Amino acid sequence: MNILIVGPSWVGDMVMAQTLFVCLKQRHPDCQIDVLAPEWSRPILQRMPEVRQALSFPVGHGVLDMATRRNIAQSLRGRYQQAILLPNSLKSALVPFFAGIPKRTGWRGEMRFGLLNDMRKLDKQRYPLMIERFMALAFEPGAELPKPYPKPALRIDSETRDTALTRFGLLLDRPVLALCPGAEFGESKRWPAEHFATVAEAKIRHGWQVWLFGSKNDHPVGEEILQRLIPGLREEATNLAGETSLAEAIDLLSCAEAVVSNDSGLMHVSAALGRPLVSVYGSTSPAFTPPLSEQVEVVRLGLDCSPCFERTCRFGHNNCMRELHPPKVIEALDRLVPQPVEVR
């Protein structure tokens, strides 16, 4: 049985989608799973043993480009018995429909009548978590989801990890604290740079080194964090944001003794790598997309106005993040990784 998954468009969602792949393999041990998704997601999918192949989807998010969709569909015709769609958009249903895949499964979403022939009506009360909404598509409608739920687990190749360490001149002579200060969704999910810098300073003074991760858009905040460290401490911090590929970021995050992250894609990557993780929440909620790992501390204030799920604070103060002070995060880190840490 060959199954085509139409994958999501965000890093964190793609990591969480592994829970669906695990469920499919449990139900159909001999099934082959291919994932049609943006090219950036290939490094994530290649680290999931359940996935046979990542198929590049070259159409940008929100772009229709009907001709390209038809060409892709033609290349997939006759290869799959089922397609499972994780996005809820109408556009995401076009390729499986044009490819004539016999069973096309997904939530009702945007006016997809006719495009899907196994269309489900979502009960948000029954499936409050995103992973539950993914996992449910592996089973018949109304089926109970098996517990305990699977957790994403990305595998790492030590050779590629060593190559990344060499490329960036990184040593593992001190325990590594990884900081992920970005969040593509918007500024409301970003803990202030000065707070990250305070955490970095505290851990460096205890013998750690700090690596900063993120996209090119996060490089400036990484530099701001570095500049807030005094000379002598600053030399123990490295800004990798915008310098690494996603594949290299995954490999290097696996070296971290602990991670502090906003609610972001790299948060979910860190959890899937099994790293001790402190997740800082403000405008969003761990009740929907929590980091899926045993070694996690969620830190949030729980103000009356949060979670608002807005990209920017409607009141302009961003107090759900600004008033969440560094000692709470440092205490959470110390609970996860008690001092002293053995230097490798």
Side-chain angles (χ1 to χ4, degrees):
M1 181 179 185
N2 293 334
I3 301 173
L4 178 70
I5 308 293
V6 179
S9 298
W10 295 92
V11 171
D13 294 357
M14 188 63 78
V15 173
M16 288 185 284
Q18 192 178 14
T19 57
L20 166 64
F21 309 155
V22 171
C23 289
L24 288 170
K25 281 290 190 179
Q26 289 172 345
R27 286 202 71 197
H28 312 287
D30 295 328
C31 75
Q32 299 297 323
I33 299 171
D34 294 343
V35 182
L36 181 65
E39 179 61 26
W40 61 256
S41 66
R42 185 176 298 274
I44 296 174
L45 296 168
Q46 288 175 334
R47 287 161 170 78
M48 295 179 177
E50 302 81 11
V51 175
R52 176 178 66 178
Q53 188 177 8
L55 304 176
S56 180
F57 187 65
V59 180
H61 183 62
V63 177
L64 182 57
D65 193 352
M66 193 70 78
T68 299
R69 292 177 191 272
R70 286 187 179 277
N71 288 337
I72 294 171
Q74 186 61 36
S75 71
L76 301 179
R77 184 171 289 276
R79 292 169 52 182
Y80 300 97
Q81 287 72 52
Q82 183 180 13
I84 300 177
L85 287 66
L86 298 186
N88 291 326
S89 66
L90 182 149
K91 292 185 290 293
S92 67
L94 293 174
V95 168
F97 176 75
F98 292 151
I101 297 174
K103 185 176 183 180
R104 303 181 299 278
T105 302
W107 299 110
R108 179 179 292 176
E110 296 179 346
M111 298 300 292
R112 304 199 285 187
F113 299 97
L115 298 178
L116 301 183
N117 56 13
D118 178 24
M119 187 160 55
R120 315 288 181 85
K121 183 179 180 181
L122 176 61
D123 182 344
K124 294 183 178 180
Q125 299 298 318
R126 183 175 187 182
Y127 301 129
L129 294 173
M130 179 176 285
I131 61 162
E132 293 173 327
R133 299 175 188 183
F134 287 169
M135 292 165 57
L137 297 177
F139 301 94
E140 297 304 316
E144 288 295 321
L145 300 182
K147 293 186 177 181
Y149 293 163
K151 292 181 172 61
L154 301 179
R155 60 185 178 186
I156 293 296
D157 184 291
S158 58
E159 186 174 330
T160 62
R161 181 172 59 191
D162 291 345
T163 299
L165 288 168
T166 301
R167 181 186 172 207
F168 293 102
L170 300 170
L171 300 175
L172 297 177
D173 55 341
R174 287 169 169 249
V176 176
L177 173 65
L179 300 181
C180 304
E184 291 298 317
F185 177 77
E187 64 181 358
S188 67
K189 291 174 70 171
R190 299 185 188 123
W191 203 40
E194 59 265 31
H195 292 353
F196 273 106
T198 299
V199 173
E201 177 178 345
K203 301 309 284 186
I204 291 172
R205 290 187 183 277
H206 280 97
W208 293 54
Q209 60 178 313
V210 171
W211 298 351
L212 293 127
F213 290 89
S215 68
K216 288 183 178 180
N217 292 336
D218 304 321
H219 190 81
V221 71
E223 289 300 298
E224 182 182 348
I225 292 168
L226 292 187
Q227 292 307 310
R228 288 178 177 274
L229 298 173
I230 63 172
L233 301 183
R234 190 179 303 155
E235 290 72 17
E236 298 300 331
T238 304
N239 184 11
L240 298 167
E243 304 296 330
T244 68
S245 65
L246 178 56
E248 290 168 329
I250 295 170
D251 292 335
L252 294 174
L253 275 168
S254 73
C255 299
E257 203 75 45
V259 181
V260 176
S261 179
N262 297 325
D263 175 15
S264 67
L266 290 181
M267 177 192 76
H268 291 286
V269 168
S270 300
L273 293 170
R275 299 299 82 208
L277 170 66
V278 178
S279 299
V280 182
Y281 278 81
S283 65
T284 54
S285 170
F288 181 47
T289 54
L292 302 169
S293 174
E294 300 296 335
Q295 300 184 82
V296 172
E297 290 250 0
V298 171
V299 181
R300 63 189 297 265
L301 290 180
L303 302 182
D304 289 342
C305 58
S306 67
C308 65
F309 298 100
E310 301 285 347
R311 291 180 182 270
T312 58
C313 177
R314 69 184 74 174
F315 303 111
H317 52 58
N318 213 33
N319 281 348
C320 63
M321 285 299 207
R322 190 158 298 282
E323 298 300 320
L324 201 167
H325 297 299
K328 287 183 175 292
V329 169
I330 295 170
E331 291 165 7
L333 272 175
D334 290 343
R335 286 191 294 271
L336 285 170
V337 187
Q339 299 285 359
V341 172
E342 181 182 350
V343 177
R344 285 177 264 185

